[in-house]
């Protein structure tokens, strides 16, 4: 894999994951995709470290453990005034482990934050945040699936899919095009056809996704931020755990 100057590499593990296929959610059921989506991995990385100054791009994910599913009977609240439960079956991925390779680029829609474009600073903060396990809680697709992040070297260690060959997953959800990243006054969804080769799935850049696989959802405008607002809610050299220890 080609690694960029500001690339980050990390491992994600968890007992369960739910990267829900929207097609299966019509009747209240949930069935996870077999692999994580681009948008889910981007959300995980944003939980580790995020600022509106830049945009995270996921380059590749490597599936380390065998793809396994497990169904559970869930009793979610009905979406009405009865406040009663109904029975649904959710199918999760079980015992997951992924290696992720990603990089960031400046968000040129945020010209008011151009003074914060210091690649060396943000790259080092991101690496420290990965080492600390992230700045916010990490979830694997949904809140009940807790995830854990730690540094790794992408491509090292043994995957069960090494020498496996090619595996096609059909049409899948890729991610969203948000107005604050595209400059357009609208929210769009991207679809694509992922292929896993020897356990590695390479993601296309959002701008390179087939235009025929994009759909407009609704009008939306970018959120405005104050020019002098600080988005580092904790000190760059400290994690949440460090702050709790100081208290």
């Amino acid at each position: 894999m080609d690694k960029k100057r500001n690339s980050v590499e990390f491992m994600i593990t968890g007992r369960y994951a739910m990267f829900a296929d929207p097609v299966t959610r019509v009747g209240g059921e949930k069935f996870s995709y077999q692999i994580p989506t681009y948008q889910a991995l981007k959300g995980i990385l944003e939980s580790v470290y995020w600022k509106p100054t830049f945009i995270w791009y996921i380059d590749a994910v490597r599936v380390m453990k065998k793809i396994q599913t497990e169904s559970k009977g869930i009793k979610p609240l009905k979406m009405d005034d009865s406040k009663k439960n109904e029975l649904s079956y959710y199918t999760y991925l079980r015992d997951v482990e992924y290696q992720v390779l990603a990089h960031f680029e400046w968000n040129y829609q945020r010209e008011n934050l151009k003074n914060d474009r210091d690649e060396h600073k943000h790259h080092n903060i991101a690496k420290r945040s990965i080492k600390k396990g992230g700045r916010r809680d990490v979830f694997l697709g949904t809140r009940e699936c807790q995830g854990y992040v730690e540094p790794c070297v992408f491509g090292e260690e043994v995957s069960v899919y090494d020498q496996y060959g090619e595996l096609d997953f059909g049409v899948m959800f890729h991610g969203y095009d948000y107005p604050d990243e595209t400059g357009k006054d609208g929210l769009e969804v991207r679809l694509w056809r992922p292929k896993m080769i020897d356990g590695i799935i390479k993601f296309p850049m959002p701008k390179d996704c087939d235009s025929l696989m994009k759909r407009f959802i609704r009008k939306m405008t970018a959120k405005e931020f104050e020019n002098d607002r600080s988005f580092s809610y904790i000190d760059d050299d400290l994690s949440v755990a460090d702050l709790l220890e100081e208290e």
Side-chain angles (χ1 to χ4, degrees), residues 21-135:
D21 184 344
V23 175
T24 66
R25 300 178 64 170
V26 178
E29 311 288 323
K30 288 184 181 181
F31 194 98
S32 178
Y33 284 125
Q34 293 175 291
I35 55 174
T37 64
Y38 177 97
Q39 192 68 40
L41 295 173
K42 181 181 177 183
I44 289 171
L45 192 47
E46 288 176 344
S47 292
V48 173
Y49 177 60
W50 173 84
K51 270 194 172 183
T53 310
F54 58 84
I55 303 171
W56 284 114
Y57 292 101
I58 309 300
D59 297 311
V61 62
R62 184 174 180 228
V63 182
M64 303 299 291
K65 292 187 176 181
K66 184 179 179 181
I67 298 173
Q68 304 175 86
T69 60
E70 181 177 324
S71 295
K72 294 185 179 183
I74 307 294
K75 288 189 175 181
L77 289 174
K78 287 186 176 180
M79 302 302 291
D80 54 30
D81 297 329
S82 65
K83 295 184 179 180
K84 294 182 179 179
N85 298 95
E86 56 184 357
L87 180 62
S88 295
Y89 285 96
Y90 291 1
T91 302
Y92 297 87
L93 292 174
R94 180 167 61 87
D95 190 23
V96 299
E97 183 177 312
Y98 308 108
Q99 289 183 351
V100 180
L101 177 66
H103 74 281
F104 65 83
E105 296 182 8
W106 303 127
N107 186 352
Y108 291 105
Q109 304 303 320
R110 299 292 186 185
E111 286 298 320
N112 59 326
L113 299 174
K114 61 183 179 181
N115 292 333
D116 191 38
R117 293 173 186 167
D118 186 331
E119 183 182 72
H120 182 73
K121 178 186 77 170
H122 290 300
H123 189 213
N124 280 283
I125 294 173
K127 289 191 292 185
R128 289 198 299 268
S129 298
I130 291 172
K131 188 175 180 180
K132 294 291 186 179
R135 291 188 161 200

Side-chain angles (χ1 to χ4, degrees), residues 175-178 184 186-190 214-217:
Y176 292 111
D177 286 332
Y178 290 105
K184 301 177 182 179
L187 176 66
E188 295 182 330
V189 63
R190 304 185 304 271
K214 290 186 178 182
R215 293 293 182 271
F216 177 82
I217 299 178

Side-chain angles (χ1 to χ4, degrees), residues 171 189-192 207-216:
V171 177
V189 63
R190 304 185 304 271
L191 304 175
W192 76 309
K207 63 182 180 180
D208 296 330
C209 286
D210 189 347
S211 60
L212 297 177
M213 299 281 277
K214 290 186 178 182
R215 293 293 182 271
F216 177 82

Side-chain angles (χ1 to χ4, degrees), residues 4-37:
K4 298 177 174 56
R5 185 173 62 182
N6 61 7
S7 289
V8 294
E9 305 163 272
F10 58 97
M11 179 86 75
I12 304 171
T13 57
R15 294 180 62 189
Y16 294 98
M18 169 60 77
F19 308 110
D21 184 344
V23 175
T24 66
R25 300 178 64 170
V26 178
E29 311 288 323
K30 288 184 181 181
F31 194 98
S32 178
Y33 284 125
Q34 293 175 291
I35 55 174
T37 64

